[in-house]
Amino acid sequence: ATKANAQIAPKSRLKTIQDSNTLRVGTTGDFNPMSFRTPGSSGYEGHQIDCANLLAADMGVKAAFVAAAWKPLINGLGAAHSDLVMTGTTMSASD
């Protein structure tokens, strides 16, 4: 193939995470014990936060937590707001 008709593949999400050295994790921070903020703290705590930190460490990058509201939580993935979401969730018939 020549340069004129060669197509450049879009950069994968994984490659973007590796290049930035950051895994952006959307979380609500209001679902104790999964994702919450201790009063007076600017950081997040909880089971899902621990899991996100472990995943980032396994990937060799740092986790950066992105505040997210419940309603647009999943849409943030498609809008490149975050690379994944981790917070306490449940599924119901109305979801």
Side-chain angles (χ1 to χ4, degrees):
T2 65
K3 283 188 178 183
N5 61 6
Q7 293 183 355
I8 299 173
K11 192 191 256 188
S12 73
R13 179 73 58 106
L14 176 59
K15 181 70 173 145
T16 300
I17 293 165
Q18 291 170 329
D19 289 349
S20 68
N21 197 40
T22 304
L23 177 65
R24 297 169 305 152
V25 182
T27 190
T28 60
D30 65 353
F31 199 81
N32 192 350
M34 299 300 181
S35 169
F36 63 96
R37 288 188 169 185
T38 302
S41 168
S42 62
Y44 292 93
E45 297 180 60
H47 176 265
Q48 296 295 297
I49 303 308
D50 293 343
C51 290
N53 282 317
L54 288 170
L55 175 61
D58 283 351
M59 294 174 68
V61 300
K62 295 179 182 179
F65 296 96
V66 180
W70 282 103
K71 209 163 194 157
L73 190 64
I74 300 301
N75 292 339
L77 293 169
H81 181 260
S82 55
D83 300 310
L84 78 150
V85 295
M86 293 189 83
T87 193
T89 57
T90 59
M91 191 163 102
S92 68
S94 64
D95 290 342

